[in-house]
Amino acid sequence: VVENPAIQYAATVTSIDANLNEGCVFRTENGGESWDRLGGLEACWSLSCLHQISEEVLLAGGLALTEEGPRGAIYRSENRGQRWDPVLWFPDGVVTDIMQTRDGRLYAATGWNGLIFKSDDMGHEWSPIAELGERIHIYCLMQDAHGDLFAGIVRDGDVGQILFSEDGGEEWAAAEGLERVTAVYDLLDTDDKMYAGVSGMDMGWVYQSTTRGRTWSKTAELINTEVRAVHCLLEYVPENSNIPILLAGTEMNRGPSFTQVYAKQQNQSNWQLFAGSIDMANAVYTLAKTPHKILAGTGFMFGNIYAYDIEQKNGVGNQNNYLIPQTFDLTQNYPNPFNSKTEIAYQLPEASDIEISIYNLQGQKVATLVQKKQHAGYYKLSWDGLDDKHQAIASGLYFCRMLAGDYVNVIRMILLK
């Protein structure tokens, strides 16, 4: 829950000296322009995750170094991070992710021992509900739109899997389709598909699923074969388009010198470099969106937060202008033939007065889908087979025509009932 997207929190690890680390939390209230360090966390060695329950209540998970030895830890704050109290310490593990389900339950994933904890009281008390295995490291948890739970893991040090549970986390099964994957770092559920960021024996990949996460397949290969892993995923919709953009933060094989973020439109298959390379880092571990910026949290050598102004630059990368099309285009509707609904994608390289209409075989206009000025960008719309009077039209062959300046294109559509 993010009450104000201009307010963001960052979990970090700082080095006090050569032998001592300290986990701490920073906050920005201006979309990333400046950051303030918040209150200390008792015995905290490192932080791996943050979760915001409400405007005031936060949870942080990581590793504590206590007098009894290392402990997996969850801390809770009720005053926006000014004061933190430990609410869970357990041996032989580290808290790697915290997730809240639609019914308000909280789940915490752990590394090294494969435990999953659950809280029914907003993070005050935690109890283990599943033990996936001693040699399992859980990197991420996710709940899909149907209420099923998913976990991205690495088993036995080099076998990456996606597990799913249909009963709230009591029983887990392995999804199929992951090939030569060594770890699953992030999971994302969108209106269109589910996505997973992974590392592979050859390079890092983004996998996708259209079967509610039961089977998975690779998306297109990322441009740079030096990509070792995809650590984080983010979807956002630019203001100049209604086509979602998927971002993937990567870890590179070479140096601590640079890393990259890749992007892909929902209606495109290929990945493109987003906003150029990020210097002085070899991994992007998290991505977030403020009202006007994309934020990237990086490591290993240097832990910095980089900002990319999507409003000022209108979503155009420093080296690639893939977010702004180069030509006008109207693509074939899908599905075609269609029964109750079909989708039509089109693109504009510049702001244009546009009209998209449906005609019958007699050349009569039966429906106007778009008639207005639109910014440059990629667009997608749905047509439900109704005319301008909201009446269902008969089965048959129809024509969809797009007019934008001097551009004219017509596609054939078949409605079957």
Side-chain angles (χ1 to χ4, degrees), residues 129-350:
I129 64 164
E131 184 175 351
L132 303 184
E134 293 184 357
R135 294 180 60 81
I136 288 181
H137 188 100
I138 309 170
Y139 279 105
C140 58
L141 293 173
M142 184 196 72
Q143 184 185 44
D144 71 0
H146 302 278
D148 295 338
L149 300 180
F150 292 82
I153 72 166
V154 58
R155 181 191 301 273
D156 299 324
D158 61 357
V159 179
Q161 289 183 314
I162 296 174
L163 308 182
F164 63 90
S165 173
E166 299 175 346
D167 61 3
E170 299 290 338
E171 300 290 335
W172 294 81
E176 299 179 351
L178 300 183
E179 301 176 356
R180 297 166 55 85
V181 169
T182 57
V184 178
Y185 294 109
D186 198 15
L187 293 164
L188 178 67
D189 187 31
T190 72
D191 292 337
D192 183 47
K193 298 173 183 175
M194 294 174 62
Y195 294 96
V198 312
S199 60
M201 293 183 180
D202 51 352
M203 62 180 292
W205 292 89
V206 177
Y207 273 74
Q208 63 185 10
S209 173
T210 58
T211 59
R212 293 181 54 184
R214 274 48 176 180
T215 59
W216 294 79
S217 60
K218 291 177 178 178
T219 63
E221 182 177 311
L222 300 177
I223 297 172
N224 194 331
T225 57
E226 291 291 333
V227 172
R228 175 185 297 171
V230 176
H231 281 285
C232 53
L233 300 167
L234 174 70
E235 185 184 61
Y236 83 101
V237 180
E239 294 184 1
N240 67 333
S241 172
N242 63 354
I243 302 292
I245 294 174
L246 180 65
L247 300 181
T250 66
E251 176 186 346
M252 309 300 290
N253 279 319
R254 287 194 291 116
S257 57
F258 77 97
T259 188
Q260 296 169 337
V261 176
Y262 288 88
K264 182 177 76 68
Q265 279 83 22
Q266 187 185 74
N267 61 343
Q268 291 186 334
S269 58
N270 293 329
W271 292 90
Q272 301 286 342
L273 180 62
F274 181 82
S277 298
I278 298 175
D279 292 332
M280 303 306 293
N282 76 325
V284 174
Y285 287 112
T286 185
L287 291 165
K289 184 183 181 302
T290 72
H292 309 300
K293 292 180 172 63
I294 299 294
L295 302 180
T298 69
F300 296 125
M301 185 70 68
F302 303 99
N304 291 315
I305 297 175
Y306 290 81
Y308 179 69
D309 194 331
I310 54 178
E311 181 182 66
Q312 177 181 348
K313 299 177 183 178
N314 202 23
V316 180
N318 293 340
Q319 299 178 9
N320 297 280
N321 58 351
Y322 68 94
L323 293 181
I324 302 298
Q326 300 302 294
T327 60
F328 291 97
D329 192 27
L330 173 69
T331 60
Q332 186 66 51
N333 63 302
Y334 180 83
N336 189 43
F338 69 99
N339 186 331
S340 59
K341 185 174 70 172
T342 189
E343 293 186 338
I344 304 165
Y346 61 99
Q347 62 189 47
L348 306 173
E350 58 191 36

Side-chain angles (χ1 to χ4, degrees), residues 89-111:
W89 278 353
F90 63 94
D92 303 323
V94 58
V95 176
T96 56
D97 195 17
I98 299 174
M99 177 201 68
Q100 188 170 16
T101 60
R102 289 167 177 79
D103 60 4
R105 289 186 174 91
L106 291 162
Y107 290 82
T110 71

Side-chain angles (χ1 to χ4, degrees), residues 16 55-56 60 66 156 247 276 314 356 387 406:
I16 297 176
E55 186 175 357
E56 298 292 329
T66 69
D156 299 324
L247 300 181
N314 202 23
I356 297 179
D387 63 17
D406 296 329

